[in-house]
Amino acid sequence: MSKRYMLLALGLISIIQLSQAQEKRGRIRDFGIQIGILPTGNNNAITDVDGVTVGQKTIIKGDSVRTGVTAIIPHQGNIFQQKVPAAVFVGNGFGKMMGISQIEELGNIETPILLTNTLNAPKVANGLIDYMLSLPGNENVRSVNSVVGETNDGGLNDIRGRHVEAADVLEAIKNAHSGKVEEGNVGAGTGTECLGFKGGIGTASRKIPASRGGYTVGVLVQTNFGGVLNINGAPVGRELHNYYMQEPKEAHKVDGSCMIVIATDAPLSARNLERLAKRSYIAFGNVGSFSSNGSGDYSIAFSTNPANLIPHESKDIELATNEVGNDYMSPLFMAVWEATEEAILNSMFMAEDMKGIKGRTVKAIPIKETLNILKKYKALDYDKLPKAVKN
C-alpha cells in the first residue's frame, strides 16, 4: 500500500472511530424509558394540543455566546383580541418572569409565551410588545401584558452581553410551527444545565381516554436546575457520581431555574388551570430537584378550548364558558405530571455536550451508562418486565 493510500485509510479509520465515540442522542422513549401509563399524542409534544405552535431562535457565536429564544403560541388568531384562560404557579420565586401579576388578576394571557435568559427578559419583552402592536386589529392598543419566562444560562453563555435582539424574538415567533419540536441545545435551552448535565428544551404530551373527556395535555420545559438525578426511581445521579452536595468535591451547582409551560384543550377556568400547574411540580421532585434557594421555578398553564376564549372587547355583560368539573380533574392532573416528567428527561437526553464561555464544558447525560443503571434497578422497558416486577 502506498504512503498516500495508507494515510487515507488511517484518516477513514479515525473518522469511523470518532463517529463511534459520539453517542447517539434521542428522546427517552427511543431507549425504552417510559414515564407513567397514559398514551402520548402523535408527536409527544406540546404541539399535540390543537392550534399550539412552537418557534425557536438559537444563538451561538464565537466561543462564548450560547443562548436563544423559544416562543409558544397558544392559537393562530390574534391572541390579544382573543385571549386564553391562564394561570401561573410559583414553585420558588427566585426568578424574573414577566407578566405574572396581570395573569393572576385577570386569569388570562394575551401574548405568546416567550422563554429566554435572565438578563435578556426585558429586551425580549420589548420585542414581543413591538410584535403585538404591529398585528392587524391592534392599531388602538395602548397596553400589552407581555409574558416572558427565563432561566440563567450564565454558566455557558456571555449573559452580560445580552445578545438576544428584537429581530431574534420576531424570528422565533415567525418560524413557529406545529408538529415535531426541536429539543436539547436549542432556543432558550441553548446554554442551560440540568441536574449536573447539559439541559435544554424538552417537550411531551398525554392523551386522556375518551371516557374521561378525551383531552390532550402538552408540556414544554426549559431546564436549568440542580439536585440528584432520579429516573423512574433509579438513583442515576448518585450512580454516575454527579450530584449536588457530593463529597469530597461538589460536582455541580444547584441553582438555576426551570420554566414549565402547559397547554390543554380541556375547558378550564383560571382556577383549575392553577390547580393543573401545581401538579407539574410533582414531576420536578420525581426527577431529583428540590427547588433550591436560587432556582426560579414557574409553571404557566393555559387552555385553548375555543368556547372559553376571552374577547378583548365584548358588548355582553356576561360571558358564557364551559368548565370541567372538579371531580373530573384527576385525569388531567395525572397527564400533566407524566408529560412534565418526560419533557424534563427529553431535554437532557436530546442535549449534547457544550463548550462555552471561558472554555467551560458541560457534558450531556451519558446515555449508555444511564441505561445500564436503569437496567440494574429494573427501571427500563416496563412492557417487557414480568408482572411480578411491574407490581
Side-chain angles (χ1 to χ4, degrees), residues 155-347:
L156 287 168
N157 174 51
D158 172 28
I159 194 169
R160 288 175 60 90
R162 306 179 73 198
H163 296 282
V164 180
E165 303 295 342
D168 300 314
V169 174
L170 186 61
E171 186 174 341
I173 294 172
K174 292 294 187 182
N175 70 27
H177 58 84
S178 58
K180 293 183 179 179
V181 175
E182 257 193 300
E183 297 172 286
N185 301 356
V186 295
T190 302
T192 62
E193 306 170 42
C194 187
L195 293 162
F197 302 97
K198 183 67 184 69
I201 295 296
T203 189
S205 69
R206 291 294 185 272
K207 295 285 290 185
I208 294 171
S211 61
R212 303 297 179 97
Y215 307 118
T216 300
V217 175
V219 175
L220 182 142
V221 297
Q222 176 193 19
T223 60
N224 193 46
F225 58 89
V228 184
L229 176 60
N230 188 296
I231 301 176
N232 270 341
V236 176
R238 186 180 69 192
E239 292 275 349
L240 291 174
H241 307 292
N242 186 1
Y243 53 89
Y244 177 58
M245 292 185 68
Q246 179 181 345
E247 295 180 352
K249 183 179 179 181
E250 190 165 317
H252 72 274
K253 69 183 183 70
V254 74
D255 295 335
S257 303
C258 185
M259 286 299 308
I260 302 170
V261 181
I262 304 157
T264 184
D265 55 5
L268 301 180
S269 66
R271 177 182 61 82
N272 267 333
L273 283 166
E274 183 178 6
R275 298 179 72 208
L276 190 68
K278 287 178 181 177
R279 270 61 180 190
S280 68
Y281 218 56
I282 296 170
F284 204 50
N286 281 357
V287 297
S289 175
F290 53 90
S291 204
S292 70
N293 175 70
S295 190
D297 306 317
Y298 298 81
S299 298
I300 177 167
F302 61 87
S303 169
T304 64
N305 191 281
N308 286 3
L309 295 182
I310 304 162
H312 176 59
E313 294 180 340
S314 176
K315 296 179 180 179
D316 297 323
I317 295 176
E318 297 180 358
L319 295 178
T321 59
N322 297 326
E323 174 79 22
V324 173
N326 291 338
D327 290 340
Y328 299 93
M329 286 295 298
S330 291
L332 291 164
F333 294 159
M334 186 173 185
V336 78
W337 150 53
E338 290 187 10
T340 303
E341 191 161 335
E342 185 158 341
I344 291 171
L345 295 175
N346 278 338
S347 79

Side-chain angles (χ1 to χ4, degrees), residues 28-29 31-36 194-195 197 228-240 283-289 341-342 344-346 348-349 365-367 369-382:
I28 64 170
R29 287 177 181 256
F31 304 103
I33 302 172
Q34 298 162 268
I35 302 297
C194 187
L195 293 162
F197 302 97
V228 184
L229 176 60
N230 188 296
I231 301 176
N232 270 341
V236 176
R238 186 180 69 192
E239 292 275 349
L240 291 174
F284 204 50
N286 281 357
V287 297
S289 175
E341 191 161 335
E342 185 158 341
I344 291 171
L345 295 175
N346 278 338
M348 299 177 68
F349 274 68
I365 185 172
I367 293 178
E369 291 179 68
T370 299
L371 295 179
N372 287 335
I373 293 167
L374 295 178
K375 289 176 184 176
K376 173 182 175 181
Y377 287 91
K378 295 182 172 58
L380 190 66
D381 292 321
Y382 280 166

